[in-house]
Amino acid sequence: MPELRKLAAPLLIGLLAAACANTGAVQNIQPGERPDLETDEAGLWMRMDREEDDLRSSGQLVEDPKLQAYVEGIVCRLTPDYCQDVRVYIVRTAGFNASMAPNGAMIVWSGLLLRSQNEAQLAYVLGHELAHYIERHSLKRWRDMRATTTGLAFFQVATLGVAGGFAQLGALGSIMAFSRESEREADRIGFELMQRAGYRGDEAVKIWDYLRREREAAEDDEDFVFFASHPPSQERRDSLAALSQAGGQQGRVERDPFLRATAAHRPGWMRDELQRRDYARVSVLADHLLDAKTDPGLALFKKGEVHRLRDEEGDAAAAVKAYHGALKSGKAPAETYRSLGLVLWSLDRPKAAQTAFRKYLGQRPKADDRAMVEDYINQLN
Ligand SMILES: [Zn+2]
């Protein structure tokens, strides 16, 4: 990676030179604190500031001031003292992840918002990430790595780890595997933060369990970036469960405000997931949303889509069943009719397919694919 080397080398020399002055124990970062210019930490921040600028102009951010304010509100409730120090970036991308850069840039993937069933679950994950910031885990990690490998490896891991060229996300911290000790600490502190903010603690265990289920179902876990840096061990799950046993059954869950804040985006976010074509995973995700009664129409529609696209034995009939369930819920997207039409056509039921296509056009008279769907109807005559 010659370009990276060019980019990173001068900075690294600076960081390594500054390192000698920074051998003491790492203290928690204080509200409003910025590292002294002479320190290795300042170099780390500078690097992250640059990545943050790139992220800001990446075109990948979810532009929704209300949602933005909503998520920032949760961060401020969790850590009122650090409210001014943390900047939240909601990035449109499938998959579960959140990360925290040492300079206070917090990245929340839309896939995390899609998978949270309520505000309490989201708050736990954000609390965990905030703990990494407050405890300066990135700096600890950076110093550990520098002690054991060349400094360049750190930035290679940090900037090149995310497949698909989403470099800035990796650089901003998501790919850095913290030590087990740091993770344990973040689990515990994240839990404390959520409880102190009045959220119901056992929701933390629920989202953790869900993630394990999704990961087990996945065809490959390559893009489980969060798990690359956050191994979901039984031990961590059990510690969380033990914490929540001691008083985790009280507090707010805040399902409705959460659903209100995310509702408009969920169909698009669901589409992002399906585009990865890991059908078993989307199916588990759809069940998870059904379980919380989050958007049953959308969840059942996506279950139908999984069957339709996978198209193995029995899938067509299962798709029809799921689409009917979606339509019965009264909140299915209009596309449900279009997909139903396609599957009925493949099942050699032309009249029923025509009816479904007509209903689609009835609900979406200005659909982009109107001409094509009209053509389907004619072919079925
Ligand atoms: Zn973590």
Side-chain angles (χ1 to χ4, degrees):
M1 308 294 151
E3 275 142 38
L4 176 81
R5 201 158 286 152
K6 244 186 271 162
L7 221 130
L11 182 65
L12 276 170
I13 293 164
L15 288 175
L16 292 166
C20 313
N22 298 284
T23 47
V26 175
Q27 307 288 328
N28 282 3
I29 195 158
Q30 295 304 306
E33 185 182 348
R34 293 188 66 86
D36 291 335
L37 280 177
E38 297 304 306
T39 58
D40 58 341
E41 187 175 23
L44 197 56
W45 277 46
M46 239 166 65
R47 170 83 191 202
M48 293 301 155
D49 288 347
R50 208 156 63 200
E51 301 293 344
E52 191 178 339
D53 284 343
D54 287 350
L55 178 64
R56 224 178 265 127
S57 56
S58 66
Q60 308 270 15
L61 300 179
V62 175
E63 309 264 354
D64 177 348
K66 275 191 187 159
L67 178 65
Q68 182 72 29
Y70 175 74
V71 177
E72 285 171 0
I74 300 172
V75 167
C76 290
R77 215 164 302 139
L78 289 164
T79 50
D81 297 345
Y82 295 90
C83 181
Q84 302 298 320
D85 301 337
V86 175
R87 299 166 302 286
V88 174
Y89 297 95
I90 304 171
V91 178
R92 170 98 185 240
T93 182
F96 176 97
N97 201 16
S99 64
M100 188 79 225
N103 67 344
M106 172 187 264
I107 295 181
V108 175
W109 288 24
S110 55
L112 160 61
L113 296 175
L114 181 64
R115 283 162 176 81
S116 304
Q117 293 176 317
N118 53 51
E119 193 175 306
Q121 292 183 4
L122 174 62
Y124 168 67
V125 180
L126 301 185
H128 174 103
E129 293 304 324
L130 288 164
H132 284 314
Y133 172 72
I134 296 169
E135 298 282 324
R136 282 190 159 115
H137 285 160
S138 296
L139 180 65
K140 286 179 189 162
R141 174 73 178 147
W142 154 237
R143 287 183 181 165
D144 284 353
M145 272 193 80
R146 199 181 42 202
T148 52
T149 68
T150 69
L152 186 60
F154 177 86
F155 283 123
Q156 278 178 337
V157 172
T159 55
L160 304 173
V162 179
F166 225 19
Q168 65 271 39
L169 294 187
L172 283 168
S174 65
I175 208 67
M176 288 188 285
F178 295 119
S179 70
R180 268 185 169 188
E181 195 193 334
S182 291
E183 287 304 336
R184 248 182 245 133
E185 206 169 40
D187 283 347
R188 182 178 51 75
I189 295 169
F191 187 85
E192 281 169 16
L193 291 176
M194 90 181 277
Q195 285 231 293
R196 215 181 301 149
Y199 294 109
R200 197 179 150 124
D202 53 3
E203 293 297 322
V205 186
K206 280 190 203 162
I207 191 160
W208 189 250
D209 281 343
Y210 166 69
L211 290 171
R212 284 162 57 100
R213 273 207 307 286
E214 184 182 326
R215 190 185 187 218
E216 275 159 26
E219 279 157 26
D220 66 66
D221 58 6
E222 235 174 59
D223 61 341
F224 273 83
V225 191
F226 187 77
F227 286 130
S229 54
H230 295 83
S233 71
Q234 185 68 35
E235 179 220 312
R236 287 179 64 191
R237 190 259 175 218
D238 291 346
S239 319
L240 256 188
L243 284 171
S244 101
Q245 280 285 311
Q249 289 81 34
Q250 278 157 19
R252 297 175 299 134
V253 168
E254 302 291 17
R255 176 176 173 275
D256 291 344
F258 174 77
L259 293 182
R260 263 199 308 277
T262 53
H265 299 283
R266 304 180 81 85
W269 293 345
M270 234 3 211
R271 217 175 306 128
D272 297 345
E273 302 288 336
L274 198 62
Q275 265 165 10
R276 298 194 300 188
R277 304 201 168 264
D278 188 338
Y279 300 128
R281 231 174 119 175
V282 179
S283 189
V284 172
L285 173 57
D287 282 336
H288 175 63
L289 299 182
L290 279 174
D291 175 48
K293 301 188 174 59
T294 312
D295 278 334
L298 181 64
L300 283 165
F301 168 53
K302 289 299 165 179
K303 275 193 84 92
E305 291 293 83
V306 164
H307 289 297
R308 179 174 72 84
L309 295 166
R310 187 169 57 193
D311 198 22
E312 289 170 8
E313 205 184 326
D315 270 333
V320 171
K321 196 174 157 208
Y323 295 141
H324 281 307
L327 293 167
K328 217 182 275 172
S329 79
K331 285 187 176 168
E335 287 73 20
T336 311
Y337 281 116
R338 185 183 58 195
S339 292
L340 178 63
L342 289 169
V343 178
L344 290 169
W345 191 354
S346 78
L347 289 169
D348 216 11
R349 293 171 58 189
K351 287 281 167 260
Q354 272 182 328
T355 305
F357 286 138
R358 285 198 182 105
K359 284 195 169 156
Y360 169 63
L361 292 180
Q363 285 196 8
R364 284 276 160 82
K366 289 181 179 159
D368 288 344
D369 57 356
R370 179 168 191 106
M372 190 175 73
V373 176
E374 280 173 342
D375 187 49
Y376 292 164
I377 295 172
N378 289 332
Q379 286 183 50
L380 285 160
N381 271 330

